Amino acid sequence: MTSAPAGTNGRTTMIASDLDRTLIYSPSALQLATTDETSPNLVSVEILEGRPHSFTSLTATRRLAELARIATFVPTTTRTMAQYQRVRFPGVTPKYAITSNGGHILVDGQPDEAWHRSTESAIAACDATLADVKHELRARSQEDWAIKRRVGDDLFCYIVVDLVRLPDGFIESWTQWCGERGWKVSVQGRKIYAIPKPLSKERAVLAVARRVGADHVVAAGDGALDSGFLMAADAGIRPPHGELAALGWEHPTVRIADRIGVLAADDITAWFAEQVQLASSLFPAEVVAAQ
Ligand SMILES: [Mg+2]
C-alpha cells in the first residue's frame, strides 16, 4: 500500500510541518538574537527571481535529511503549488506534500486530481464564491496599503499589505464578513488570507496519514491555519512567534519551542527527532517482530 519509510521497528511516523516561519524564514523573519559573530550557519532553501528568498539553519537541514529516511516528512503549507515547488531542502525529496492550504496533495511532485476534485466539491457549499470574496476584498481595500492582490491555485485569495498603513479595524470587519459566509481569515506577516472554511490542512493531513499507514503523527506550525492539524496530531509543536503566539493559542498536546525566529527551526527539528525515537522506543523491535 505504501512506500513510506518505516523506523527500524516497522512503525510509521509521519511528520506534518508547516513551512514559512516554522521551518523556513525570509530574511525579515529570521529574528536572530545572536551577535553576528555567533550567529548560526544558514542554508538557502528557496530562490526567487535569482535571489535567496528563504533560509533555515544548517542544523535543521541536516536533521531533516536524517528524519526523512526514517519517517514520512510531509510539508504542509498554504503556499500554492508553484510557491512550494521553489522550496528545496538539501537531501530531502518528500514523496507527499500538502499545498494550497490542503487544496492539493502532491505525490512525487504531481497533484492528486481526485483529491482536488473532492476539495472543490467540499468548498462549493460555502455561501460565497471566490469571485464574491475577491470582489468584496477589492471594494474594501485601497491601493495605498493593499500592495498586491493574489489568488492561490483558484481556491483562495490574499492581499499583501503595508502594515503601517493598514486601517484600524480592517482585519476585524473583514474577518466578520468572511465568517458570515463560510470563509476564514488568517494574517501571516504582511499577507492577509481569505480561505473557504472547508479548505483545511487537517483534512489533507488526515488523508495522507491514512494513505501512508501512519500510526503516529507529529506536527508543527505557527499560524492559525495550522491549529487544526496541530490538534489532530498525536503531538505538536509551535514556535514562540507567529500568528498563534500573537493569539496566545495553546493546546494540551502542543508544546512551544524555546527559541524565537529561525532558531525555532533547530528546536522543532530536534523535537521531531525526539518524537520519532520515542515512537520507536514505545514499540521495541522484538515486540513488533513477534506480532
Ligand atoms: Mg507558517
Side-chain angles (χ1 to χ4, degrees), residues 5 15 58-71 73 89-93 269:
I15 298 169
L58 180 61
T59 311
T61 60
R62 287 177 173 165
R63 222 179 256 132
L64 267 185
E66 282 175 28
L67 284 166
R69 289 191 295 108
I70 55 170
F73 170 53
F89 293 105
V92 181
T93 308
T269 51

Side-chain angles (χ1 to χ4, degrees), residues 4-13 69-71:
T8 51
N9 55 17
R11 308 302 296 188
T12 300
T13 297
R69 289 191 295 108
I70 55 170

Side-chain angles (χ1 to χ4, degrees), residues 18-22 188 222-223 226:
D18 174 51
L19 295 178
D20 293 85
R21 294 177 188 238
T22 298
Q188 294 173 35
D222 72 297
D226 303 323

Side-chain angles (χ1 to χ4, degrees), residues 17-27 29-30 32 39-46 52-65 73 87-90 92 261-270 272:
S17 182
D18 174 51
L19 295 178
D20 293 85
R21 294 177 188 238
T22 298
L23 289 183
I24 71 175
Y25 292 76
S26 65
L30 291 173
L32 283 168
S39 61
N41 285 111
L42 301 180
V43 174
S44 163
V45 290
E46 179 184 21
H53 191 65
S54 299
F55 300 86
T56 192
S57 73
L58 180 61
T59 311
T61 60
R62 287 177 173 165
R63 222 179 256 132
L64 267 185
F73 170 53
V87 178
R88 286 164 297 136
F89 293 105
V92 181
V262 68
L263 288 174
D266 275 15
D267 296 343
I268 288 166
T269 51
F272 286 157

Side-chain angles (χ1 to χ4, degrees), residues 59-248:
T59 311
T61 60
R62 287 177 173 165
R63 222 179 256 132
L64 267 185
E66 282 175 28
L67 284 166
R69 289 191 295 108
I70 55 170
T72 303
F73 170 53
V74 183
T76 304
T77 180
T78 303
R79 284 176 173 241
T80 63
M81 287 189 284
Q83 290 168 341
Y84 165 71
Q85 280 159 346
R86 294 196 299 257
V87 178
R88 286 164 297 136
F89 293 105
V92 181
T93 308
K95 181 172 180 63
Y96 292 94
I98 293 165
T99 71
S100 324
N101 209 59
H104 285 288
I105 293 174
L106 305 189
V107 185
D108 294 324
Q110 299 301 314
D112 178 326
E113 295 300 337
W115 173 258
H116 187 53
R117 282 194 297 277
S118 83
T119 303
E120 285 185 319
S121 57
I123 63 181
C126 287
D127 290 336
T129 64
L130 176 60
D132 296 335
V133 175
K134 273 171 57 185
H135 180 79
E136 182 68 17
L137 183 56
R138 179 163 285 281
R140 285 171 175 251
S141 55
Q142 278 74 52
E143 307 300 331
D144 61 332
W145 55 267
I147 301 163
K148 294 179 189 168
R149 299 166 191 278
R150 295 285 185 269
V151 169
D153 288 335
D154 289 325
L155 291 165
F156 58 87
C157 58
Y158 61 93
I159 51 176
V160 181
V161 301
D162 177 343
L163 288 169
V164 175
R165 294 186 172 192
L166 181 67
D168 288 344
F170 169 78
I171 290 170
E172 291 76 7
S173 68
W174 179 231
T175 300
Q176 183 176 350
W177 188 93
C178 286
E180 289 166 355
R181 290 159 181 82
W183 285 60
K184 57 195 169 188
V185 170
S186 173
V187 181
Q188 294 173 35
R190 298 189 305 136
K191 291 179 179 170
I192 302 176
Y193 289 89
I195 294 192
K197 285 181 182 170
L199 186 65
S200 75
K201 292 182 179 180
E202 56 269 29
R203 183 169 170 269
V205 165
L206 293 171
V208 175
R210 275 196 301 274
R211 204 177 291 194
V212 304
D215 43 31
H216 184 237
V217 179
V218 297
D222 72 297
L225 297 172
D226 303 323
S227 60
F229 80 91
L230 283 169
M231 291 189 289
D234 293 294
I237 187 169
R238 72 159 173 85
H241 59 250
E243 189 180 21
L244 289 176
L247 294 168

